[in-house]
Amino acid sequence: MERESGTKQVVTPDMVKQKVNTVFYATRSKLVAARYGNPSKNIRVIAVMGISGKTTTACFIAELLKESDHTVALLTNRGIEIKGNYAEKDYGKDVATLQNILKSAKQKQIEFLVIEVTPRMVDRHIIDGIQIDTVVVTNCDARVEPSIRKMIEKQINYVVLPHYNTTLLQGMLMSEHKIISFGDSIDADSTIDKVMLYRKGTEVRLVIDNQTTIDVATHLVGQANAYNVSAAVATAYVLGVDLDLVANGIARLQSVTSNYEYVSTDQTYDIIVDGADNNESLLSVITSARELSKRRLIAVVASDGMSDDALSAATKLTDRLIVIDTPDQTTTITGAEAVLSAKDATAKALRGAKKGDTVLLIGGMFSVRQSSGKTLADVLIQGAE
């Protein structure tokens, strides 16, 4: 920030514009909330944030609360679910849409609302005017840290976060009993003690508060889901869910779109779609797939958002890595095959797959629904058959 000789701060036109926009959006959000009767005041709202794992963690939390006989509304990028009724709807596009959904939830006497919150919702103040009970952080880096800090700085009751991300709270005045951690550290409140990966699920042993051991099994596959389970159980614990109900609650969740999702085909090899869109998620899903693959592991990866280091590491974990280039990012990684379109990359991977192989389609693009209603992955796989 520019400063004049010594101490006086120079106020630029851009700074004034940003301040005006902030005040406008924040004020509008609160006025809209008031118009709808401030419905969040009657609901305990759990905001789930992070780089990845938000949707899955939110779904696990919702199922744990349902198992405890609470009425729940769930808002994720999959759509909205209120008391068992589901609809595909973008709740994060504007304040009025979100407040209208909250009003509907209030009318249906919802006790808990679990919502996936994006940085855009924070930056555009769409989430302002909502009284947040708990913030759950799945993971964090420089891209999402500013928005997460803004949420935590609100007057909330609890924050649940990875044990290694406790520095996120530096400079904040928050009582220790309001901070719940999870992860594979023995110092975490919800510690991952053991993980067993299977081709159709994952078993996780958790230790809560260094004294209570819980064995759970989930239909979801991969090491990343052990952390999603740990985060959800830590959240349920602080919200007062009976730990005896945790195993059944976790088992309730059958699947999550693009979370190591098997595609049903007549082929003799497995096709799996995962929405990983960052370095950490990419390497996590490939590492799990490497452990579970019967024979070769062939991965098709959308390069957007992936670093050269991560793609280079992926070549060492796969038998074949096909990278979909974009106009803004051209892959020159040794050992990786660069292809210009998702269609050609998928066809190339499927042509080379043999009995017992695993083909991974990695990237959010594969789950985007086309005009036919099918996902891009479904369209590409059917076209290659």
Side-chain angles (χ1 to χ4, degrees), residues 164-189:
Y164 64 83
N165 267 150
T166 50
T167 54
L168 184 63
L169 303 177
Q170 284 181 348
M172 297 187 188
L173 298 176
M174 182 168 286
S175 302
E176 285 293 327
H177 75 275
K178 292 188 173 184
I179 304 169
I180 313 299
S181 64
F182 66 90
D184 51 18
S185 169
I186 60 173
D187 295 323
D189 297 299

Side-chain angles (χ1 to χ4, degrees), residues 96-368:
T97 298
L98 181 56
Q99 289 295 336
N100 190 40
I101 292 170
L102 284 167
K103 181 180 179 181
S104 177
K106 176 185 174 181
Q107 290 171 342
K108 294 182 179 179
Q109 298 182 320
I110 293 297
E111 298 171 84
F112 287 92
L113 182 138
V114 185
I115 179 171
E116 182 178 339
V117 176
T118 64
R120 179 184 180 277
M121 292 175 66
V122 177
D123 296 339
R124 296 299 296 269
H125 299 275
I126 293 171
I127 201 71
D128 285 16
I130 293 180
Q131 189 169 306
I132 306 294
D133 181 277
T134 302
V135 173
V136 181
V137 181
T138 57
N139 39 36
C140 180
D141 68 6
R143 292 170 296 171
V144 297
E145 181 174 339
S147 58
I148 291 175
R149 286 184 66 87
K150 286 179 184 177
M151 287 290 287
I152 294 175
E153 286 170 350
K154 295 176 181 289
Q155 190 174 356
I156 61 174
N157 289 327
Y158 302 103
V159 58
V160 179
L161 75 174
H163 187 267
Y164 64 83
N165 267 150
T166 50
T167 54
L168 184 63
L169 303 177
Q170 284 181 348
M172 297 187 188
L173 298 176
M174 182 168 286
S175 302
E176 285 293 327
H177 75 275
K178 292 188 173 184
I179 304 169
I180 313 299
S181 64
F182 66 90
D184 51 18
S185 169
I186 60 173
D187 295 323
D189 297 299
S190 176
T191 299
I192 301 170
D193 184 54
K194 183 179 179 181
V195 179
M196 293 292 292
L197 300 182
Y198 300 97
R199 288 170 53 78
K200 297 292 184 177
T202 308
E203 292 181 358
V204 186
R205 174 166 292 173
L206 300 173
V207 179
I208 308 299
D209 272 349
N210 293 312
Q211 58 184 353
T212 304
T213 299
I214 304 174
D215 289 311
V216 301
T218 172
H219 297 280
L220 306 188
V221 180
Q223 187 74 30
N225 284 309
Y227 286 88
N228 296 332
V229 166
S230 182
V233 173
T235 306
Y237 178 52
V238 78
L239 294 176
V241 171
D242 188 340
L243 292 180
D244 289 338
L245 302 175
V246 164
N248 287 338
I250 292 297
R252 288 172 61 115
L253 186 61
Q254 298 289 317
S255 65
V256 174
T257 302
S258 292
N259 184 319
Y260 209 91
E261 188 176 20
Y262 284 85
V263 179
S264 179
T265 70
D266 295 328
Q267 302 297 337
T268 58
Y269 49 82
D270 290 328
I271 305 175
I272 297 166
V273 177
D274 193 277
D277 61 359
N278 60 75
N279 298 330
E280 182 181 337
S281 299
L282 168 69
L283 295 179
S284 177
V285 68
I286 287 181
T287 299
S288 295
R290 175 76 282 168
E291 182 176 338
L292 296 170
S293 296
K294 292 179 180 178
R295 282 188 76 246
R296 296 184 306 155
L297 176 60
I298 303 170
V300 176
V301 180
S303 65
D304 204 20
M306 307 299 183
S307 70
D308 285 353
D309 287 344
L311 291 172
S312 182
T315 64
K316 298 177 175 62
L317 292 167
T318 58
D319 296 289
R320 189 176 182 185
L321 182 70
I322 302 171
V323 179
I324 305 169
D325 277 343
T326 67
D328 299 324
Q329 185 168 345
T330 303
T331 304
T332 57
I333 306 299
T334 302
E337 305 168 49
V339 177
L340 293 177
S341 73
K343 179 180 178 180
D344 292 341
T346 303
K348 193 172 190 179
L350 297 180
R351 279 199 306 268
K354 308 298 181 186
K355 183 177 180 179
D357 289 349
T358 297
V359 177
L360 268 179
L361 304 179
I362 302 176
M365 66 163 62
F366 290 109
S367 299
V368 175

